[in-house]
């Protein structure tokens, strides 16, 4: 009976890990960034568990990779090229948010892959010394919110990251 | 010589799709310059297939969303650039005039130009006619600390433009900023032209 919590724990881990079997696009983007900018994504213990509990409403299939010590190029178009080169033709550049801080700036690039009743999103957030890649699946309600105010949702997304929510 | 010609043909064939893409202006080239001054720049890009897909998520029970869904089905693309500035006066009226000037070709006509002295809000709506059909609309909405440029590519009835306000990041178009009389007269002028 002791094995039940262990099984549940493994299931949670499998439900949202940084790179699972069917996510070649996510892994492709991570690898492209690694090879283009000679960085490695950080290994975060129990990331899957954290993502499972931290996911916002209407969002599933969260995958996350963090690149510490990433130096964002002056022209973020370079990064877009790297990302677009690794994503397939069913991914569309959807939203881009650029914000200027007092001491730093941040760019969020969002790509969308709509299919049937769901939408996958690849969110790449570039900060002066860190980059983050997130893949997620949106349900009906979340899609509606994004379609209503894509810019606002994207700005909230980057704002949420800045606030560390 | 023959080899040079064949190389030139190959290069031209390869370059053709790029040239065709370049001819289709998504947003005025000068608009990107404003992002240097802006505190925050938001770009939204939705091409035709994505718009058609997105239309399925607009509620069939909400009459406004239903109108918007019908409207976007035939669009080729929707592009929004929104700039938020720290202080009023961060961008000059000359910069906005430069943007407006890019729609001064015979293909484009200005439908609405609303200037608010008190609030400093200006809205310009330009439309493009191709073969006497509406082929697109550009909206430039300038507020004291915010500037939004919307390009709607594809056939759209100008009198239904307000229905898209509030969807896909398009600012809500106040009936005051889009005077009904002006919109109706444009719509009538359009109906007068055989499609």
């Amino acid at each position: 009976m002791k094995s039940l919590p262990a099984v549940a724990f493994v299931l949670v881990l499998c439900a949202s890990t940084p790179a699972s079997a069917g996510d070649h696009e996510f892994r492709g983007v991570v690898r492209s960034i690694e090879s283009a900018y000679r960085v490695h994504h950080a290994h975060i213990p129990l990331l899957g568990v954290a993502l499972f509990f931290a996911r916002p409403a209407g969002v599933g299939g969260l995958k996350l990779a963090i690149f510490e010590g990433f130096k964002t190029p002056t022209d973020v178009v370079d990064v877009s090229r790297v990302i677009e080169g690794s994503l397939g033709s069913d991914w569309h550049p959807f939203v881009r948010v650029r914000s200027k801080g007092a001491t730093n700036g941040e760019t969020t690039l969002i790509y969308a892959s709509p299919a049937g009743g769901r939408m996958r999103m690849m969110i790449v957030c570039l900060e002066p010394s860190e980059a983050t890649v997130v893949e997620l699946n949106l349900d009906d309600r979340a899609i509606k919110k994004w379609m209503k105010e894509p810019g606002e949702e994207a700005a909230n997304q980057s704002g949420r990251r800045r606030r560390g929510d | 010589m023959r080899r040079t010609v064949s190389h030139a043909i190959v290069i031209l064939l390869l370059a053709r799709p790029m040239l065709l893409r370049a001819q289709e202006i998504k947003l005025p080239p000068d608009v990107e310059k404003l992002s240097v001054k802006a505190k925050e720049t938001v770009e939204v890009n939705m091409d035709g297939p994505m718009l058609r897909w997105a239309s399925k998520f607009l509620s069939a029970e909400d009459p406004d969303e239903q109108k918007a869904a019908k409207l976007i089905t035939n669009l080729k693309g929707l592009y929004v650039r929104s700039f938020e500035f720290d202080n009023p006066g961060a961008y000059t009226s000359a910069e906005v005039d430069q943007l407006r000037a890019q729609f001064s070709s015979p293909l484009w006509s200005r439908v609405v130009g609303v200037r608010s002295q008190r609030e400093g809000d200006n809205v310009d709506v330009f439309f493009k006619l191709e073969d006497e059909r509406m082929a697109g609309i550009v909206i430039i909405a300038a507020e004291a600390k915010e500037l939004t440029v919307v390009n709607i590519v594809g056939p759209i009835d100008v009198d239904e433009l307000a229905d898209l306000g509030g969807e896909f990041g398009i600012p809500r178009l106040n009936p005051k900023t889009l005077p009904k009389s002006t919109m109706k007269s444009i719509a009538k002028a359009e109906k007068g032209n055989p499609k």
Side-chain angles (χ1 to χ4, degrees):
Chain A
M1 205 59 193
K2 251 184 189 175
S3 60
L4 198 62
V7 170
F9 183 70
V10 170
L11 281 175
V12 166
L13 278 177
C14 293
S16 52
T17 53
S20 58
D23 58 352
H24 64 279
E25 281 125 336
F26 175 77
R27 280 193 284 182
V29 170
V30 170
R31 279 183 193 151
S32 304
I33 291 174
E34 285 179 337
S35 73
Y37 300 101
R38 297 176 183 199
V39 284
H40 288 285
H41 72 275
H43 174 72
I44 301 164
L46 299 177
L47 176 63
V49 183
L51 289 177
F52 184 82
F53 291 108
R55 62 186 174 163
V59 171
L62 266 171
K63 297 173 193 90
L64 171 77
I66 297 170
F67 300 89
E68 284 167 353
F70 178 86
K71 287 201 175 79
T72 302
T74 326
D75 190 358
V76 289
V77 173
D78 281 349
V79 187
S80 339
R81 272 194 217 113
V82 169
I83 297 160
E84 282 159 33
S86 78
L87 288 173
S89 57
D90 50 345
W91 286 87
H92 306 261
F94 179 33
V95 186
R96 187 201 294 209
V97 182
R98 278 172 283 176
S99 53
K100 276 200 294 196
T103 53
N104 53 17
E106 187 180 312
T107 301
T108 305
L109 308 164
I110 302 179
Y111 296 85
S113 172
R118 70 188 188 119
M119 181 157 84
R120 284 194 298 156
M121 263 188 193
M122 196 73 73
I123 303 174
V124 180
C125 190
L126 308 164
E127 288 172 69
S129 59
E130 191 180 285
T132 314
V133 180
V134 179
E135 195 199 326
L136 43 86
N137 292 327
L138 300 181
D139 73 6
D140 280 26
R141 243 179 40 200
I143 292 171
K144 278 185 184 177
K145 269 173 76 180
W146 272 88
M147 291 301 144
K148 197 105 187 145
E149 284 294 348
E152 206 165 289
E153 285 296 316
N156 287 345
Q157 187 80 29
S158 44
R160 204 177 290 136
R161 282 201 72 264
R162 274 198 296 275
R163 290 193 305 271
D165 296 353
Chain B
M1 179 69 182
R2 197 181 283 172
R3 193 183 276 181
T4 314
V5 172
S6 61
H7 280 169
I9 291 169
V10 169
I11 290 166
L12 278 173
L13 285 173
L14 285 172
R16 196 172 169 270
M18 284 163 74
L19 290 171
L20 288 174
R21 231 177 290 153
Q23 282 166 6
E24 210 168 282
I25 297 167
K26 286 181 179 174
L27 281 161
D30 285 349
V31 82
E32 305 298 346
K33 285 181 194 167
L34 287 161
S35 65
V36 179
K37 295 180 177 182
K39 180 177 77 175
E40 188 164 272
T41 306
V42 177
E43 309 176 10
V44 178
N45 303 296
M46 294 186 79
D47 54 17
M50 195 155 164
L51 280 171
R52 276 184 284 285
W53 173 83
S55 70
K56 293 174 199 159
F57 292 92
L58 293 168
S59 170
E61 287 146 28
D62 183 327
D64 288 341
E65 288 193 14
Q66 219 178 339
K67 277 184 200 168
K70 203 177 148 193
L71 204 62
I72 62 170
T73 312
N74 298 317
L75 294 182
K76 290 178 187 167
L78 197 154
Y79 308 94
V80 183
R81 293 288 182 279
S82 182
F83 305 93
E84 202 186 313
F85 301 92
D86 276 321
N87 304 303
Y91 67 93
T92 63
S93 56
E95 282 169 310
V96 186
D97 285 341
Q98 258 179 5
L99 288 180
R100 291 186 190 115
Q102 288 171 56
F103 304 99
S104 59
S105 76
L107 278 177
W108 290 92
S109 307
R110 194 169 84 172
V111 199
V112 183
V114 179
R115 302 279 177 272
S116 158
Q117 289 285 342
R118 195 167 53 89
E119 290 164 9
D121 300 353
N122 298 321
V123 177
D124 290 275
V125 179
F126 300 87
F127 73 88
K128 189 184 184 185
L129 281 178
E130 271 176 9
D131 300 326
E132 296 177 343
R133 282 171 189 235
M134 284 288 283
I137 287 179
V138 166
I139 304 162
I140 301 175
E143 291 173 34
K145 287 165 72 177
E146 203 171 326
L147 180 73
T148 305
V149 182
V150 180
N151 186 10
I152 302 167
V153 185
I156 173 170
D157 277 336
V158 77
D159 54 345
E160 288 173 349
L161 180 60
D163 295 335
L164 273 184
E167 303 292 342
F168 312 110
I170 299 174
R172 280 195 189 281
L173 301 166
N174 188 330
K176 281 179 192 167
T177 59
L178 291 177
K180 278 280 176 207
S181 55
T182 317
M183 303 310 278
K184 275 181 184 167
S185 64
I186 297 299
K188 268 184 196 168
E190 269 203 292
K191 279 169 192 163
N193 288 326
K195 288 189 178 181

